[in-house]
Amino acid sequence: MKMDDREAMRAALDEARRALDHADVPIGAVVVHDGAIIAVAHNRREIDRDPLAHAEILALRAAAAHLGRWRLTGCTLVVTLEPCPMCAGALVNGRVDRVVYGTADPRAGACGSVLNVAADPRLNHRVEISAGVLADEAATLLRDFFAGRRAACTSARAKNDTDGDAGIDDRKG
């Protein structure tokens, strides 16, 4: 039985939650080939201290290793957040057939929101795009993560403001 987009996105969401274990942005990706998941990954930028350790890049690398080839024809990348320009470029360069994403990225999305690298007719390959699969779940995961981060920052600032005269300038004009 072949895996449908929703089922694959559920696997990507499960993988995204693993990024929370090391304070990375919870983005997960899976690669589907011949109806089965062949690679999974989540963001590892913080833990690996690697600006390229996006879930999509790591999943594509794992899929290429699994298949023993860099051309990922016949593959679909399923990811919780719309790919950025770097990741969309990797989809094109890796000859991925299709990308399925959960929630749009209005700041850096490169599969239709801000740019459309994946379907740019000037490039030598175009990736079919399916958007909005389990978008609410994907958006909630990200929103909750960033709300927690903002609350932690606000709490830390409040604590620092009560530690003596932090931020007070005693110089006279």
Side-chain angles (χ1 to χ4, degrees):
M1 183 174 103
K2 290 202 175 204
M3 177 170 291
D4 71 13
D5 292 348
R6 291 173 62 84
E7 191 177 359
M9 185 61 73
R10 283 188 191 91
L13 285 162
D14 287 344
E15 186 65 20
R17 289 180 189 94
R18 294 187 61 208
L20 297 171
D21 294 340
H22 44 82
D24 264 292
V25 177
I27 298 170
V30 301
V31 178
V32 178
H33 181 260
D34 288 339
I37 293 175
I38 61 166
V40 298
H42 60 274
N43 269 13
R44 294 185 53 89
R45 291 187 316 168
E46 298 297 333
I47 195 166
D48 291 350
R49 296 184 172 106
D50 180 356
L52 306 180
H54 289 207
E56 301 95 321
I57 298 294
L58 300 174
L60 294 175
R61 285 180 180 158
H66 176 85
L67 294 171
R69 57 186 165 92
W70 67 267
R71 284 183 184 89
L72 298 175
T73 52
C75 290
T76 296
L77 176 82
V78 179
V79 61
T80 57
L81 179 67
E82 179 182 1
C84 71
M86 174 182 70
C87 294
L91 293 169
V92 170
N93 285 314
R95 311 301 195 271
V96 173
D97 287 355
R98 187 168 169 250
V99 62
V100 175
Y101 68 84
T103 192
D105 185 347
R107 292 185 180 189
C111 291
S113 290
V114 177
L115 302 169
N116 202 347
V117 173
D120 191 321
R122 297 169 294 181
L123 300 177
N124 64 335
H125 177 75
R126 277 159 293 296
V127 180
E128 179 186 333
I129 301 166
S130 295
V133 176
L134 299 180
D136 290 341
E137 288 180 49
T140 298
L141 183 60
L142 288 164
R143 228 182 345 264
D144 290 352
F145 172 78
F146 286 112
R149 222 182 217 188
R150 281 190 297 277
C153 287
T154 301
S155 175
R157 274 193 297 258
K159 182 187 178 306
N160 287 338
D161 286 347
T162 61
D163 291 343
D165 294 330
I168 298 174
D169 188 350
D170 288 334
R171 291 178 289 175
K172 300 289 181 198

